[in-house]
């Protein structure tokens, strides 16, 4: 479909359809973002690969059923030859050689402009965990990315850098394969949101990025197997050939943020070896995935979320294995997110900066080449932590092989860390989930809560942890047993606390009651809801 004018939309014969009233809404953005070339690419990619997404999601379900019935995740015997063979990924582009600090944020105009004008090596424009995916937000985000890459951000002053020579490299984090873009249908079915994000960003920006000496760079989230990585490799190859680009022009970093994927890291690198440059420790989503994947295993229950730090044995094993795997294959290893928000309180701010510095030192010591932060006020302290290890003569730590390490076993990766399970931990999780879900259905997905800049993974950890504690009737440190009735009682009490914290006016004009109903339904459901965004999207402001 050509999306340039209303009349052309009405005359178009394409099978790709913009749903309902959305055809009339935001027409200017649509005409700029969804050109005929973009729409054609979306159609071709969807026609060729949609069926594979369906099959891969079925495989996820089958694997989860096996785990639910008692089988634990493990390294694959059928791909042992890949792990034992000698091979490397293709070369890493020059502008991705130094990734000491990556700043991640939503795709609104203000955040994007601050991001590319920051001191971060990379800014990640996030359409996934930091984006509440209304049609308005998705289109505006793509429009903003196009404008900043093409030097058309006239409404926001350029503070330090010229757009044609951006020192901060731009990467686009697309949505996961499980998500659908409900506003576009092909053959009466919504298309994969990941395909939409990828195709729009690629087509609108690849030429300008190549002119600048860069290229289309992507973050791929929520992978659960090397077969999903193989799909992305086929998509990249298809698009490169279609646009007459050198194979390997498109580059990606894959987030290892699911428990199944940690056992297939080498295979993921192998499948994407022409296009991949790094893996990333998506630590918060990884905790969420650990809980979700092992939800039926009573001996794999985690303590309060605050106890699951990168020093915890399972998290340390995950981090070290990622570094060893990446550097063995010539790929970079990027550490996890620091979500703290600097404050005006000198004492609290000093404590935060010390905590972040120590966390980043642990990652640097493990051999990571860089790390993530959610606030630009944490860039300098993170750089300082990494420079102690990388030094002046290197831009990364690819030379750190960890060859002398003992092999990281499945047992280490699966063994739950120790710590208390407390009533205070449940109550904090309830308040955080309430506030985040309320913001998300109101269109805000990057949310300051109790001094942290939270994204969707926060609510996922909070509500899955409580669900699992209910399922297994966990005994808390104060002697109380976690039951549905106890959680219902606590939810009412914590909703009242949230109302007191935000004030009557904010509470009345917000959607806190709707968020509480949605949260309660998920917490008390017989089966764990895979992603809260699925039921929440039905409440999302269009």
């Amino acid at each position: 479909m050509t999306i340039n004018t209303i009349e052309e939309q009405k005359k178009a014969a394409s099978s790709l359809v913009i749903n309902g009233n959305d055809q009339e809404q935001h027409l200017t953005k649509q005409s700029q973002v969804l050109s005929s070339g973009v729409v054609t690419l979306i159609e071709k990619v969807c026609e060729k690969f949609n069926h594979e997404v369906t099959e891969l999601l079925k495989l996820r379900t089958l694997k989860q059923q096996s785990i639910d019935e008692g089988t634990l995740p493990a390294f694959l015997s059928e791909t042992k030859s890949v792990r034992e063979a000698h091979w490397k990924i293709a070369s890493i582009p020059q502008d991705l050689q130094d990734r000491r600090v990556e700043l991640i944020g939503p795709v609104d105009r203000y955040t994007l402009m601050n991001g590319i004008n920051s001191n971060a090596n990379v800014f990640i424009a996030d359409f996934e965990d930091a984006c509440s995916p209304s049609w308005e937000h998705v289109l505006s985000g793509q429009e903003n990315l196009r404008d900043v890459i093409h030097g058309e951000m006239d409404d926001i002053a350029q503070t330090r850098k010229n757009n044609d020579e951006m020192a901060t490299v731009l990467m686009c984090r697309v949505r996961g394969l499980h998500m659908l873009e409900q506003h576009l249908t092909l053959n009466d079915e919504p298309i994969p949101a990941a395909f939409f994000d990828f195709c729009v960003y690629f087509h609108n920006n690849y030429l300008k990025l190549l002119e600048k000496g860069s290229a289309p760079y992507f973050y791929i989230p929520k992978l659960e197997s090397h077969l999903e990585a193989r799909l992305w490799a086929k998509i990249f190859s298809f698009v490169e050939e279609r646009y007459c680009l050198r194979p390997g022009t498109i580059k990606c970093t894959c987030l290892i943020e699911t428990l199944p994927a940690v056992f297939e890291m080498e295979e993921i690198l192998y499948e994407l070896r022409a296009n991949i440059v790094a893996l990333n420790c998506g630590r918060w989503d990884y905790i969420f995935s650990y809980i979700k994947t092992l939800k039926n295993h009573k001996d794999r229950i985690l303590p309060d979320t605050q106890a699951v730090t990168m020093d915890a044995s399972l998290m340390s094993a995950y981090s070290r294995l990622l570094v060893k795997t990446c550097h063995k294959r010539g790929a970079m290893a990027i550490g996890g997110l620091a979500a703290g928000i600097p404050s005006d309180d000198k004492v609290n701010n000093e404590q935060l900066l010390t905590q972040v510095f120590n966390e980043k030192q642990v990652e640097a010591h493990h051999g990571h080449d860089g790390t993530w932060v959610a606030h630009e006020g944490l860039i300098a302290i993170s750089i300082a932590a990494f420079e102690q290890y990388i030094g002046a003569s290197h831009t990364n730590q690819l030379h750190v092989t960890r060859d002398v390490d003992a092999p990281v076993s499945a047992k280490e990766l699966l063994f739950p860390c120790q710590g208390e399970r407390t009533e205070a931990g449940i109550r904090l999780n309830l308040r955080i989930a309430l506030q985040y879900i309320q913001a998300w259905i109101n269109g805000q997905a990057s949310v300051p809560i109790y001094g942290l800049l939270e994204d969707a993974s926060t609510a996922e950890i909070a509500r899955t942890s409580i669900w699992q504690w209910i399922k297994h009737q966990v005994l808390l440190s104060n002697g109380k047993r976690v039951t549905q009735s106890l959680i219902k009682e606590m939810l009412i009490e914590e909703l009242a606390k949230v109302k007191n914290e935000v004030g009557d006016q904010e509470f009345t004009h917000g959607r806190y009651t709707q968020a509480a109903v949605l949260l309660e339904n998920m917490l008390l459901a017989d089966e764990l809801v895979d992603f809260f965004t699925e039921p929440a999207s039905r409440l999302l402001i269009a």
Side-chain angles (χ1 to χ4, degrees):
M1 175 181 285
T2 301
I3 320 286
N4 290 326
T5 70
I6 289 287
E7 289 307 311
E8 287 183 38
Q9 289 178 24
K10 291 177 179 176
K11 293 176 183 177
S14 169
S15 54
L16 190 67
V17 177
I18 296 181
N19 290 338
N21 293 331
D22 298 318
Q23 289 193 20
E24 304 291 337
Q25 282 186 314
H26 320 305
L27 181 60
T28 301
K29 289 188 179 67
Q30 287 181 6
S31 64
Q32 293 173 344
V33 171
L34 299 182
S35 66
S36 58
V38 168
V39 173
T40 299
L41 179 60
I42 294 172
E43 279 188 313
K44 297 302 181 185
V45 169
C46 288
E47 287 169 356
K48 191 170 182 65
F49 298 109
N50 273 9
H51 70 284
E52 293 198 39
V53 175
T54 302
E55 292 304 311
L56 289 168
L57 293 180
K58 287 180 182 176
L59 288 176
R60 282 189 185 183
T61 300
L62 291 173
K63 187 169 188 176
Q64 184 60 55
Q65 288 174 351
S66 176
I67 294 170
D68 288 345
E69 292 166 1
T71 303
L72 288 173
F75 297 103
L76 303 180
S77 58
E78 61 266 32
T79 56
K80 185 178 180 182
S81 60
V82 171
R83 297 195 298 275
E84 293 181 346
H86 295 285
W87 53 269
K88 297 275 190 180
I89 66 161
S91 61
I92 300 172
Q94 185 61 41
D95 61 344
L96 288 178
Q97 291 280 339
D98 188 349
R99 299 175 64 176
R100 271 172 276 196
V101 178
E102 302 188 346
L103 176 64
I104 184 167
V107 290
D108 64 273
R109 216 164 176 83
Y110 179 79
T111 303
L112 180 58
M113 205 62 225
N114 278 352
I116 64 155
N117 281 317
S118 71
N119 288 323
N121 303 96
V122 171
F123 178 75
I124 305 160
D126 186 10
F127 282 98
E128 209 224 8
D129 278 353
C131 179
S132 183
S134 68
W135 192 228
E136 165 70 18
H137 286 168
V138 170
L139 288 180
S140 294
Q142 291 287 357
E143 180 188 34
N144 294 339
L145 285 167
R146 183 197 172 281
D147 285 353
V148 76
I149 290 168
H150 288 76
E152 296 174 7
M153 281 266 190
D154 296 333
D155 56 327
I156 299 177
Q158 294 286 300
T159 56
R160 294 190 305 104
K161 298 170 187 169
N162 183 290
N163 261 339
D164 291 329
E165 299 176 353
M166 289 188 295
T168 300
V169 178
L170 191 59
M171 300 186 75
C172 176
R173 185 190 191 189
V174 301
R175 284 171 281 179
L177 287 175
H178 65 284
M179 298 181 74
L180 295 173
E181 180 45 75
Q182 299 286 352
H183 301 91
L184 282 177
T185 58
L186 183 67
N187 301 326
D188 297 324
E189 294 292 334
I191 70 169
F195 290 2
F196 177 87
D197 298 340
F198 167 76
C199 290
V200 176
Y201 181 79
F202 173 84
H203 181 88
N204 283 338
N205 303 304
Y206 80 99
L207 279 176
K208 194 66 176 178
L209 288 166
L210 292 171
E211 284 177 20
K212 295 182 177 189
S214 189
Y217 298 148
F218 294 91
Y219 255 99
I220 307 299
K222 301 287 191 297
L223 291 179
E224 293 197 15
S225 76
H226 70 285
L227 298 178
E228 295 174 15
R230 182 180 296 172
L231 169 62
W232 278 108
K234 289 192 284 189
I235 292 169
F236 294 156
S237 178
F238 171 77
V239 172
E240 287 168 345
E241 183 176 355
R242 183 176 178 85
Y243 285 76
C244 300
L245 298 175
R246 177 179 52 81
T249 295
I250 299 168
K251 295 297 184 184
C252 73
T253 296
C254 289
L255 286 131
I256 302 300
E257 55 184 349
T258 69
L259 187 62
V262 82
F263 292 95
E264 300 184 36
M265 287 193 287
E266 288 201 67
E267 293 90 333
I268 288 170
L269 286 170
Y270 181 78
E271 296 293 347
L272 279 161
R273 60 194 180 277
N275 299 95
I276 199 165
V277 292
L279 298 178
N280 172 280
C281 277
R283 60 185 285 198
W284 302 112
D285 272 300
Y286 187 74
I287 296 170
F288 158 52
S289 178
Y290 182 97
I291 298 168
K292 183 174 73 166
T293 305
L294 302 176
K295 61 183 183 290
N296 279 9
H297 294 253
K298 195 170 184 177
D299 58 340
R300 308 285 170 178
I301 300 174
L302 296 177
D304 287 352
T305 304
Q306 293 70 33
V308 190
T309 65
M310 291 308 292
D311 290 329
S313 57
L314 81 163
M315 300 302 289
S316 176
Y318 153 62
S319 171
R320 289 181 285 108
L321 179 60
L322 187 140
V323 171
K324 184 174 183 177
T325 302
C326 285
H327 290 182
K328 175 184 177 182
R329 303 305 184 181
M332 297 173 75
I334 310 300
L337 176 67
I341 303 173
S343 70
D344 294 331
D345 185 299
K346 188 174 181 180
V347 174
N348 289 342
N349 205 51
E350 189 63 33
Q351 290 176 345
L352 170 64
L353 294 179
T354 299
Q355 177 188 345
V356 171
F357 183 81
N358 291 339
E359 286 179 356
K360 300 312 179 186
Q361 271 203 320
V362 169
E363 290 180 336
H365 177 69
H366 284 171
H368 284 278
D369 303 287
T371 191
W372 274 18
V373 298
H375 193 284
E376 57 190 293
L378 301 181
I379 294 172
I381 196 72
S382 300
I383 289 175
F386 270 82
E387 284 185 343
Q388 289 195 349
Y389 287 85
I390 292 178
S393 59
H394 294 91
T395 55
N396 54 57
Q397 296 197 89
L398 283 167
H399 57 284
V400 178
T401 62
R402 302 199 70 95
D403 283 346
V404 298
D405 286 11
V408 174
S409 66
K411 182 178 179 180
E412 286 180 87
L413 293 166
L414 294 172
F415 191 78
C417 61
Q418 302 303 304
E420 285 193 294
R421 300 177 186 128
T422 68
E423 182 174 331
I426 291 180
R427 290 183 178 277
L428 178 60
N429 274 344
L430 287 171
R431 293 197 303 277
I432 289 172
L434 280 168
Q435 292 180 74
Y436 187 84
I437 293 171
Q438 189 279 149
W440 196 91
I441 62 178
N442 258 331
Q444 186 182 3
S446 184
V447 188
I449 304 174
Y450 303 136
L452 298 175
L453 198 58
E454 306 287 17
D455 64 17
S457 62
T458 302
E460 298 289 31
I461 293 171
R463 57 105 188 167
T464 52
S465 175
I466 295 172
W467 185 93
Q468 189 185 38
W469 288 14
I470 294 172
K471 177 179 176 60
H472 297 292
Q473 304 280 286
V474 163
L475 191 65
L476 299 177
S477 58
N478 63 4
K480 291 184 180 179
R481 194 166 294 280
V482 181
T483 63
Q484 287 194 353
S485 59
L486 178 66
I487 295 302
K488 288 173 72 173
E489 180 183 317
M490 286 185 181
L491 183 57
I492 293 170
E493 293 168 354
E494 297 311 308
L495 181 60
K497 288 182 184 177
V498 168
K499 181 178 180 180
N500 186 59
E501 289 175 356
V502 303
D504 289 346
Q505 185 173 0
E506 162 65 22
F507 190 89
T508 301
H509 289 90
R511 302 176 73 190
Y512 293 91
T513 302
Q514 284 179 286
V517 171
L518 176 58
L519 179 58
E520 180 178 343
N521 289 340
M522 289 190 290
L523 294 177
L524 304 185
D526 292 335
E527 298 295 328
L528 180 64
V529 175
D530 278 345
F531 298 94
F532 90 83
T533 52
E534 293 170 353
S537 64
R538 293 190 285 271
L539 301 174
L540 181 62
I541 294 175

